[in-house]
């Protein structure tokens, strides 16, 4: 089915730090709008006023020393609001939703890298948002050290304090990368792995090729 005939698509972008998700989402938004899609661009944690408050607790370097289990619960609290107040109404209205992260990030960060049981994550997911999953998920993959180097340069340039996860040891980020790859292997009908070491335009072309 062509993009023009598929209103209400839910597309997510996943991967470790420094993969270029935000850049690719903006690029895809522009392309979709040329095809007359009404596009909602959002992020996690965040997307609603309540969820953005939780974001500051989770990703700011001064946000607190949360356990992986506590992080998971906070993320699903934010996600429940995000789905109820933004994602679900937008999809019901036929809009295309592009999200920078969704439940796969919880599976990877708090599950594979943080040690929370994956079955528990799925149970909390069902309680919080039910069966909702994206129509397609692009996982922007690159070696952990490359991604962290990119991310650190961006943070130094922009002066952001959202470095709580980037500041973790390299072993955490390597587990994170493998987690995303395992998620993709388990969900081949939904997940597409994109080599994020390519130039930005090449990554954008690869994403577009999978959608068209």
């Amino acid at each position: 089915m062509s993009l023009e005939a598929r209103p209400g698509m839910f597309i997510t972008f996943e991967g470790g730090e420094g993969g270029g998700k935000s850049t690719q989402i903006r690029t895809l938004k522009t392309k979709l709008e040329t095809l007359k899609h009404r596009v909602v661009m959002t992020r996690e944690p965040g997307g609603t006023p309540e969820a953005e408050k939780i974001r500051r607790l989770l990703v700011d370097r001064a946000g607190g020393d949360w356990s992986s289990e506590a992080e998971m619960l906070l993320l699903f609290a934010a996600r429940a609001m995000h789905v109820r107040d933004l994602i679900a109404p937008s999809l019901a209205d036929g809009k295309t939703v592009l999200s920078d992260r969704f439940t796969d990030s919880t599976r990877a960060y708090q599950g594979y890298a943080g040690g929370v049981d994956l079955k528990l994550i799925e149970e909390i997911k069902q309680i919080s948002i039910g069966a909702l999953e994206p129509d397609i998920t692009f996982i922007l993959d690159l070696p952990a050290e490359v991604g962290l180097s990119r991310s650190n340069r961006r943070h130094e340039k922009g002066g952001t304090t959202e470095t709580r996860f980037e500041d973790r040891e390299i072993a955490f980020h390597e587990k994170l990368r493998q987690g995303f790859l395992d998620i993709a292997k388990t969900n081949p009908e939904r997940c597409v792995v994109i080599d994020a070491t390519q130039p930005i335009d090449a990554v954008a072309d690869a994403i577009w090729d999978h959608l068209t």
Side-chain angles (χ1 to χ4, degrees):
M1 190 180 293
S2 67
L3 282 172
E4 294 91 336
R6 290 192 62 192
M9 291 181 68
F10 182 24
I11 303 171
T12 57
F13 287 71
E14 297 283 4
E17 307 300 331
K21 297 185 308 303
S22 298
T23 298
Q24 294 303 328
I25 288 174
R26 289 193 297 269
T27 300
L28 180 58
K29 178 178 184 288
T30 299
K31 289 182 176 180
L32 288 170
E33 287 175 339
T34 65
L35 297 177
K36 308 304 181 185
H37 278 244
R38 292 176 298 145
V39 180
V40 174
M41 189 169 66
T42 188
R43 67 177 183 176
E44 287 209 345
T48 68
E50 298 80 10
E52 289 291 337
K53 291 175 183 177
I54 293 177
R55 179 184 182 88
R56 291 196 290 274
L57 295 175
L58 287 168
V59 303
D60 194 283
R61 68 170 67 105
D65 185 21
W66 305 99
S67 68
S68 294
E69 290 82 2
E71 289 172 355
M72 175 194 65
L73 293 170
L74 286 168
L75 284 162
F76 275 115
R79 187 167 295 132
M81 300 297 291
H82 193 198
V83 169
R84 189 194 74 176
D85 294 343
L86 180 67
I87 295 176
S90 297
L91 294 174
D93 192 36
K95 296 175 182 175
T96 298
V97 176
L98 307 180
S99 184
D100 184 342
R101 301 196 182 282
F102 195 60
T103 306
D104 288 325
S105 276
T106 306
R107 293 169 177 131
Y109 276 80
Q110 284 69 45
Y112 284 92
V116 176
D117 188 277
L118 294 174
K119 291 182 179 179
L120 177 60
I121 291 175
E122 297 309 313
E123 290 172 0
I124 300 299
K125 172 188 178 291
Q126 288 294 324
I127 293 170
S128 303
I129 64 169
L132 179 65
E133 292 285 354
D135 294 297
I136 186 166
T137 297
F138 292 106
I139 296 176
L140 304 187
D141 175 61
L142 73 173
E145 62 273 14
V146 175
L148 287 172
S149 177
R150 288 184 183 178
S151 184
N152 288 334
R153 288 198 301 271
R154 185 181 72 246
H155 289 323
E156 289 170 3
K157 183 178 180 180
T160 180
T161 61
E162 290 191 347
T163 62
R164 182 167 173 268
F165 288 102
E166 287 94 327
D167 291 343
R168 295 190 178 181
E169 67 280 359
I170 189 67
F172 176 90
H173 293 279
E174 289 172 344
K175 289 178 182 177
L176 184 62
R177 182 190 187 192
Q178 189 57 54
F180 279 118
L181 293 175
D182 284 353
I183 290 168
K185 185 177 180 180
T186 305
N187 301 274
E189 74 292 341
R190 174 172 65 84
C191 296
V192 178
V193 178
I194 303 290
D195 178 4
T197 65
Q198 302 176 92
I200 291 173
D201 289 347
V203 174
D205 288 344
I207 291 168
W208 192 243
D209 286 344
H210 278 286
L211 286 172
T212 56

